[in-house]
């Protein structure tokens, strides 16, 4: 059963950046898009399980820091090899100044 988890404050993530969020033995990445929205994906690249929090965020994409695989963080779609498996995405809502993730 999924639940809403308080992940971080809205002010903790600059626009076009991300932070790592760990919960229940899992790692997630929370993104702040250039239009002010927040998104959440699994925090590890689907290619070699490298932490995406060390990657480059530009426009609506996250680039893995190891082999430069790229994903659209809004949909989780793998956009560039070597990744060919999409990231899981999770619903996000903002309550006041808190980013909530449904896990």
């Amino acid at each position: 059963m999924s639940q809403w988890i308080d992940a971080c404050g809205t002010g903790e993530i600059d626009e076009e950046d991300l932070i790592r969020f760990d919960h229940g033995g899992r790692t997630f990445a929370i993104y702040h898009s250039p239009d002010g929205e927040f998104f959440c994906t699994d925090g590890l690249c689907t290619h070699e399980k490298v932490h995406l929090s060390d990657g480059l965020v530009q426009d609506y994409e996250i680039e893995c820091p190891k082999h430069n695989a790229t994903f659209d963080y809004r949909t989780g779609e793998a956009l560039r090899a070597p990744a060919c498996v999409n990231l899981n995405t999770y619903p996000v809502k903002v309550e006041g100044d808190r980013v909530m993730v449904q896990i």
Side-chain angles (χ1 to χ4, degrees):
M1 185 169 148
S2 63
Q3 59 183 323
W4 288 98
I5 305 296
D6 185 342
C8 64
T10 56
E12 293 178 47
I13 313 171
D14 293 332
E15 282 190 12
E16 290 204 276
D17 205 359
L18 79 155
I19 63 168
R20 178 178 167 177
F21 170 64
D22 295 316
H23 179 76
R26 295 169 60 197
T27 298
F28 304 90
I30 302 173
Y31 309 84
H32 191 173
S33 74
D35 60 9
E37 290 184 272
F38 293 88
F39 296 88
C40 181
T41 69
D42 286 331
L44 300 175
C45 180
T46 59
H47 174 241
E48 283 198 9
K49 307 300 180 203
V50 173
H51 288 280
L52 293 172
S53 59
D54 296 327
L56 175 67
V57 176
Q58 192 168 11
D59 297 320
Y60 297 95
E61 297 177 6
I62 176 65
E63 182 181 78
C64 178
K66 187 163 186 179
H67 292 121
N68 304 92
T70 305
F71 302 89
D72 182 325
Y73 60 73
R74 298 168 297 179
T75 64
E77 180 183 2
L79 302 173
R80 184 170 62 208
C84 56
V85 176
N86 296 340
L87 291 169
N88 291 317
T89 60
Y90 303 89
V92 174
K93 66 180 178 180
V94 174
E95 290 186 353
D97 64 349
R98 304 302 299 174
V99 177
M100 309 293 289
V101 177
Q102 189 175 31
I103 299 173

